[in-house]
Amino acid sequence: MKEQERARWRCRRGLLELDIVLQYFMDEHYARLDETELRQFETLLDLPDNDLWEMIALRKEAEDRSLQPVLRLLQTI
């Protein structure tokens, strides 16, 4: 549970749209992620707000293709 709370804290961002998507993701998907997906999510959270939002909004592709499974979940929100 400690990791989930840390991840939830990291989801607090500077863009309102990103905050909304990430909080919904935490509520709906985070608990079901496997270890690989958790690492992917952490990697996505390391990105600057604008880059992450551009990928979620389908305006930019992720350079790291291994992030696609979690990124696809974020894009469905």
Side-chain angles (χ1 to χ4, degrees):
M1 188 62 129
K2 187 176 182 179
E3 285 299 312
Q4 185 171 357
E5 292 307 314
R6 188 177 77 74
R8 187 173 296 279
W9 178 257
R10 291 191 67 208
C11 288
R12 296 181 59 181
R13 307 301 282 246
L15 294 173
L16 177 61
E17 297 89 344
L18 198 50
D19 278 350
I20 292 168
V21 169
L22 292 174
Q23 291 305 317
Y24 185 83
F25 179 86
M26 288 297 298
D27 293 341
E28 298 297 319
H29 299 289
Y30 187 85
R32 294 188 302 260
L33 299 179
D34 63 28
E35 282 298 315
T36 299
E37 293 167 330
L38 287 170
R39 284 193 305 275
Q40 293 168 3
F41 186 58
E42 289 291 323
T43 300
L44 287 168
L45 290 179
D46 288 338
L47 296 172
D49 288 358
N50 289 331
D51 291 342
L52 180 54
W53 178 248
E54 292 294 309
M55 286 187 278
I56 291 171
L58 298 169
R59 292 185 214 139
K60 180 179 179 180
E61 286 193 34
E63 293 176 17
D64 184 350
R65 304 304 267 164
S66 70
L67 301 175
Q68 288 301 318
V70 173
L71 191 54
R72 273 190 234 107
L73 285 174
L74 287 163
Q75 291 166 341
T76 63
I77 296 173

